Amino acid sequence: MTLAALVGVAGCSDDPPAARPEVPAFSTPVAAPSSVAAKAVPRTCGGVASLTEVTDILGAAVTGQTLPIVGVPEPKIGRTARIDCYYGVPDGAPVSAAVVQIGLASYTDRSAAQRRMTSTVETERETGAKASDVPVGADRGVLLNGAKRTLVAVRGNNTVVVTVNPDLIAEEQSGSLLGRLADRALTPR
């Protein structure tokens, strides 16, 4: 048979067309790929978030100094770099007086970063903080409401911890606002 004859015979079949297979729907969010590159941890707080960005995102005046503490690698936990940025530190006051703190760290792999995030969440829950899932850009993080408002998240090989004094922003806005700060810190410039 020729190709034309085969096409003609195939088109003359009395059988109804085959039903299209049903495509499954996924109701759970798909995890971010583990191949997401880690953001290089900057040596200054400007690479994490500027004081202006912190103020703009929170919608609250954060005044005072921005002070960094550059951490060191910790091979036992897989940490390769770290910076903690303290925003709104009054002149002459210690970093503990900051109204906002953002800590950004990188790890040897996503698994090590995830273990650190889990450890932080468990520690905060043990002290009475209530945990809830919140968006951080296209990812998810955990908001911990306790003595302070803290958000922790993982993206690739990085972790971020954002903490604000509870009187700085309303509780109902904390997930959204801290999620935006965390996303800013995790996004390469």
Side-chain angles (χ1 to χ4, degrees), residues 5 19-20 23-24 30 39 49 53 61 64-65 67 75 77-78 104 110-111 128-129 136 143 146 159:
R20 291 187 176 178
V23 178
V30 178
K39 174 181 177 176
E53 289 170 318
Q65 301 178 73
L67 301 174
I77 61 171
L104 181 66
R110 182 175 176 82
S111 168
V136 176
L143 176 66
T159 62

Side-chain angles (χ1 to χ4, degrees), residues 73-189:
E74 283 196 37
K76 282 183 173 180
I77 61 171
R79 188 172 75 203
T80 57
R82 177 178 174 162
I83 187 169
D84 291 314
C85 298
Y86 299 87
Y87 300 89
V89 179
D91 287 335
V95 294
S96 60
V99 294
V100 177
Q101 177 187 349
I102 302 175
L104 181 66
S106 62
Y107 291 84
T108 54
D109 55 35
R110 182 175 176 82
S111 168
Q114 187 66 48
R115 281 191 302 274
R116 294 309 301 163
M117 179 177 142
T118 300
S119 174
T120 300
V121 170
E122 288 172 1
T123 299
E124 290 297 314
R125 280 184 169 165
E126 288 172 4
T127 63
K130 295 177 185 172
S132 57
D133 186 53
V134 296
V136 176
D139 302 306
R140 305 299 294 175
V142 178
L143 176 66
L144 299 155
N145 276 313
K148 292 192 175 189
R149 295 197 179 99
T150 300
L151 183 137
V152 294
V154 171
R155 182 177 295 159
N157 297 0
N158 293 115
T159 62
V160 66
V161 178
V162 180
T163 303
V164 299
N165 288 350
D167 57 346
L168 188 62
I169 57 174
E171 184 175 353
E172 63 273 5
Q173 293 180 311
S174 58
S176 170
L177 298 177
L178 295 186
R180 288 180 54 206
L181 270 180
D183 185 49
R184 172 65 208 95
L186 289 165
T187 301
R189 289 195 180 242

